[in-house]
Structures are given as structure tokens and as C-alpha cells.
Amino acid sequence: MSSHPALNLHSDPIDLTAALVDIPSVSRAESVIADAVEAALREQTVGFEIIRSGNAVLARTDRGLPSRVMLAGHLDTVPIADNVPSRRERDGVEGDVLHGCGTVDMKSGDAVFLHLAATIEEPAHDITLVFYDCEEIDAALNGLGRIERELPEWLAADVAILGEPSGGFIEAGCQGTLRVRLSAVGTRAHSARSWLGDNAIHKFGAVLNRLAAYSAREVDIDGCLYREGLQAVRISGGVAGNVVPDAAELDVNFRFAPDRSVEQAIEHVRDVVDGLDLGFEVTDSSPGALPGLAAPAAAALIEAAGGRFRAKYGWTDVSRFSALGIPAVNYGPGDPNLAHKRDERVPTDQITNVTAVLRGYLTTG
């Protein structure tokens, strides 16, 4: 008897989304959903080589077609918030909507990819499918990174489509992200004798003013407008209610356009805080991804989607593909603003529309 639920890849992608949502798959606990996906691909697709890497499932065709399209999606979700199993609301104020953990991020995208793999009989491109684990947690655990290290040949493609929620728009590239910890040192004293101390928290006054007045750069790349942002995201310090603090920290997050490298982003933040007596430590960084929409395979996808594209402001795994020289876009059902929320939900017509667009793209030379 099977230890995993059976998936029908030929069913409507809306129903397939619900079936995927009904399999809990919080990060690091994706084995059951990976078993179900692997079994369904082996039983219901033709012409795919299929392998397993941990809790990731990979499949590809080798028909000798002139181009290769990668469809990639993560199988894991954030922790469940009383929103599994799925629930379909057909006549609500938002129309026909599917509720549940992962409906947006990103089991609806996975369902579209699985359905197309099983139902397209004459593709115009060779297809690679990558369903991977641990995307929602520490980047060091990301299954796509493991595949890149251990099975790099599986990530070769002319264009990569990541099924991240994009509201049915093609969201091209992504911005980079940088986190810097600024530190201030002072002298501890009793607050009743504050002149004997040096308040570390007060030393952040100048940098907070600079951040509040910061003018964000906008840059157009391949017709995609990226708007940068530099924000204080955490501040800590203080000893007690009657003590002048002698240490404090301020975390700053810089979301930068993909025409900057991580090194250039670091130098820009250094310039913003130049002249202030503060410690400077880079605590996290990830490069952005150029949209690459001029590449023929990417341009054809834009055309298939009716020219609906925009810049991706958040960071996604398209950055990994961009670093490999592969044009990559985010394209999937769902409003990214609803990802990870207790009331996560996706309009079912977006699942249907994304399926139709990708079917047209994958079957047109």
C-alpha cells in the first residue's frame, strides 16, 4: 500500500493544487509530497528521465529539440497556520478562490508544471522539471543549491521559469538584498549622572536621519523598472531603565537593482554612512538577477503572455539561474502579498490562465 497520497496529473490544475496543499510539506518535512510527485511523474508522464535528490524530484526530456525550458518550483511551505486542508470558495466576494497553505507560495505553480508535463504530447522545447526542498528556510539548506553543487548538468537551460506567485504577470529578474549591522560603542553610567556616560543609542541619530532622507534610485533594465530601498529594520541596545547604554546595534537592509553587484551594494551603503563613528558588518547578502528578456526564449515567453511583464522587487531563486547565465523569470498564479498569510488564497482563474499561457508557449516553436 502506498505511503503517500496519489496525485492525478491529468486532473484540472485547480484540483491538483488542492491535492498538493492537502499534503503537509513544511520545510524539512517534504518527503511525503516528494514521494507523491515522483510516483505521479513516473506513472503519468512519457519521455521523461526522472531522478531523486533528497526531497527534490527532477525530470527532463531529451528529444533533441532546439531549446530547453526549465520549470522550477519548491515543494515546501512555511509552517501551517490552521489552513490545511484546502478549502474552495466558489461564490465569495472575490469570486472562485482556493484557500490553504501553499496555494500562493507555491503549490499552484507546481500544479501547473506537473499538469503540463503530463498533458503536453508534442512540446516545441525540451523540458526540465525541478521540484525542490527547503526554499523557505536558511539559504544554505535550499535544495536548489544542493542540486547546483551535486547535479549541475540538470540546471542547463535556455530559459528558466520559476513558479513563484506573480499574479499572472511575468516578473523578470529580481533585486539583490544586503543586510548590514551598524554598531555603536559608548560609556555606561547611571542615568541620573548621564554626563558621566556616553549614550551609544544616541549615536544612531545621524544615520537614522540619513536613512529617512534617502532618495531611492530607479533604474530601467529591459523595460523593467526597479526601485531600490534602504531601510533600518532592527535596532537594539540598552541595559536597564536607569542606565546610559554603552552598546547598541542597528540593522539596515538594502534592496538593490540587479545592475549592481553585491560588492557595489556594500560600497554604496558604506558611502551612505561615511563619516560616522559606527562599526560596519555585512551579515547577509544575495545578488540580484538581470531580467534577460532580450534572450530569444525569454522574449517568446513574454509574447505568449501577451506582453504582461514587470520587475520583481523581492529576491527569489531566479538569482541562482542568472548567476549560471540562464535568463530566468518568475511566473505563477497568486498574489505574492498573500504568501505566508493565515488567509493565503489564490483565484482559480489565475491557475487556469497561467496553465493556458505556458501550454501555448511550450507547444509553439
Side-chain angles (χ1 to χ4, degrees):
M1 182 176 179
S2 174
S3 60
H4 56 77
L7 298 173
N8 181 2
L9 305 189
H10 290 82
S11 66
D12 189 302
I14 299 168
D15 296 329
L16 183 54
T17 299
L20 291 171
V21 170
D22 292 346
I23 305 174
S25 57
V26 176
S27 302
R28 308 194 80 164
E30 305 97 336
S31 61
V32 174
I33 196 170
D35 289 345
V37 166
E38 180 184 8
L41 285 171
R42 292 189 183 280
E43 295 166 4
Q44 300 172 46
T45 63
V46 177
F48 280 89
E49 174 191 3
I50 301 167
I51 66 169
R52 184 75 173 260
S53 168
N55 284 332
V57 182
L58 296 82
R60 65 185 175 189
T61 63
D62 188 12
R63 300 169 183 256
L65 296 171
S67 57
R68 177 173 293 277
V69 176
M70 183 182 307
L71 306 176
H74 60 82
L75 296 172
D76 62 321
T77 70
V78 296
I80 293 166
D82 299 321
N83 51 0
V84 170
S86 61
R87 175 176 61 86
R88 188 168 181 179
E89 184 179 15
R90 296 177 185 269
D91 300 310
V93 294
E94 299 178 38
D96 191 349
V97 176
L98 185 66
H99 296 255
C101 183
T103 49
V104 171
D105 192 13
M106 55 175 287
K107 291 184 175 181
S108 56
D110 292 337
V112 170
F113 295 165
L114 286 165
H115 177 77
L116 291 173
T119 58
I120 290 179
E121 296 180 356
E122 296 185 8
H125 315 268
D126 271 308
I127 297 171
T128 298
L129 302 168
V130 178
F131 298 102
Y132 60 101
D133 52 320
C134 291
E135 189 271 349
E136 298 288 6
I137 54 176
D138 190 332
L141 300 173
N142 188 306
L144 198 56
R146 182 185 68 252
I147 293 165
E148 182 180 351
R149 292 189 301 272
E150 299 178 1
L151 301 164
E153 69 279 5
W154 276 83
L155 299 185
D158 294 286
V159 66
I161 302 172
L162 195 66
E164 290 283 356
S166 64
F169 281 80
I170 289 174
E171 292 188 334
C174 70
Q175 292 191 231
T177 183
L178 170 71
R179 279 192 288 272
V180 171
R181 179 160 295 162
L182 305 176
S183 56
V185 177
T187 301
R188 188 180 299 197
H190 196 297
S191 60
R193 303 172 184 83
S194 58
W195 61 90
L196 299 178
D198 181 18
N199 193 308
I201 293 177
H202 290 181
K203 295 185 178 184
F204 288 138
V207 70
L208 290 173
N209 286 335
R210 293 185 188 185
L211 294 174
Y214 181 77
S215 179
R217 184 178 73 121
E218 294 185 352
V219 57
D220 186 295
I221 305 172
D222 284 354
C224 295
L225 184 66
Y226 295 90
R227 189 176 191 276
E228 297 183 327
L230 184 63
Q231 293 285 314
V233 293
R234 187 189 72 90
I235 189 167
S236 65
V239 180
N242 60 351
V243 178
V244 175
D246 58 353
E249 294 178 338
L250 176 70
D251 287 354
V252 176
N253 183 212
F254 183 35
R255 295 296 177 127
F256 55 93
D259 62 336
R260 293 191 200 259
S261 66
V262 169
E263 293 73 20
Q264 290 170 331
I266 293 171
E267 286 307 306
H268 178 71
V269 177
R270 286 191 185 277
D271 288 343
V272 171
V273 303
D274 185 51
L276 303 179
D277 185 21
L278 298 172
F280 187 101
E281 177 191 4
V282 175
T283 58
D284 185 53
S285 65
S286 293
L290 291 166
L293 299 184
L301 177 59
I302 297 293
E303 182 179 357
R308 288 161 49 92
F309 70 93
R310 61 191 180 192
K312 180 68 175 179
Y313 284 110
W315 187 92
T316 74
D317 277 320
V318 298
S319 175
R320 297 180 186 272
F321 297 116
S322 181
L324 296 172
I326 302 171
V329 301
N330 304 280
Y331 185 54
D335 179 352
N337 293 321
L338 294 176
H340 303 179
K341 293 177 69 68
R342 185 178 293 272
D343 60 346
E344 186 174 352
R345 62 198 183 277
V346 60
T348 58
D349 62 350
Q350 288 190 14
I351 300 174
T352 301
N353 292 341
V354 169
T355 303
V357 167
L358 287 180
R359 183 180 298 280
Y361 171 66
L362 294 170
T363 56
T364 303

